[in-house]
Amino acid sequence: MSFEGKTAWITGASSGIGAALAKEWAARGAAIILSGRDEARLAEVAASLPTETLLLPFDVRDEAAMQAATDKATGWKGHVDIFVANAGISQRSPAVDTAMQVYRDIIEVDLTAQIAATQALLPHFTARGSGHLMFISSIAGKVGVPMRTAYCAAKHGLIGYADALRGELSQSGVAVHVVCPGSVATDVSRNALTADGSKRGRSDKVIDNGIPPQEAARRIIDAVEAGEREIIVAEGMEQAMGESRRTPDAMFDQVAAMVAAGYMEKMQAED
């Protein structure tokens, strides 16, 4: 697979995995659309890229702004070939102490907003009959991790949406990829919400010693090239945990076979 001449749109692109994916795809010849809330930081990422870029800053929770960005993204080159739902925020707090608003905020950013952005783009992808939808979940989307109940709920939900969507799109030519990173050396822990919704403000040693973002990005894009549907990017115990909960390809194939045999049409006829 060549990414030369393709257009990749990445949310949460101002830092971390999002920025690293932008750099890796740009190095492989793709034009890049960068989205996030901080336009200045997006501009810094864009300045480091060797290919054409478009900045579309917006808050993923603002559906009107997201829809406007979708129109601009699809109109820029006439096509978006890759969409990465990467915007997200983590958590560090025991459930017993955590305010309900923290659950609402994390689920809105990490799950609901990612679904809304994908839904807005779906007609574009299905009309073209090609492309890649990529969802950045987490090892915490496969395994329940203490101190992250809201984050785990959102990331598990994102995988559920992506897996169901993959089945529905299995005859369309549109590929759906779920990425489950373990500890990657980003600001995810520093920016995580605490029990009252404030930012934690400090990192974890395991995060600081995690996989470098550019290495994670290279592994992810190599896996997309290889056609992997569930991509685990982790090491040590985290990798073992992710692999133990990996969804077998046979299951994905079984769901696709159901769709090919008319499952959706039969359900709609019954309705």
Side-chain angles (χ1 to χ4, degrees), residues 6-23:
K6 304 292 186 183
T7 301
W9 184 11
I10 305 166
T11 66
S14 61
S15 64
I17 291 175
L21 285 170
K23 292 174 184 177

Side-chain angles (χ1 to χ4, degrees), residues 152-165:
C152 287
K155 292 299 189 179
H156 273 72
L158 193 62
I159 292 176
Y161 169 77
D163 284 355
L165 182 65

Side-chain angles (χ1 to χ4, degrees), residues 17 27 39 57 81 83 103 108 117 127 167 173-174 181 186 189 194-195 202 223 225 230 251:
I17 291 175
E39 186 170 4
D81 302 287
F83 176 67
Y103 285 91
E108 182 178 15
V174 180
T186 69
S189 182
T194 60
R202 62 183 180 86
E225 283 190 317
E230 186 170 280
M251 180 64 71

Side-chain angles (χ1 to χ4, degrees), residues 254-268:
Q254 182 178 349
V255 174
M258 289 169 55
V259 173
Y263 172 82
M264 293 171 64
E265 289 79 5
K266 292 173 184 175
M267 290 287 290
Q268 290 171 322

Side-chain angles (χ1 to χ4, degrees), residues 81 83 116 137-138 140 153 164 166 169 211 217 222:
D81 302 287
F83 176 67
S137 181
S138 171
R166 182 188 297 110
L169 298 180
I211 299 169
D222 284 349

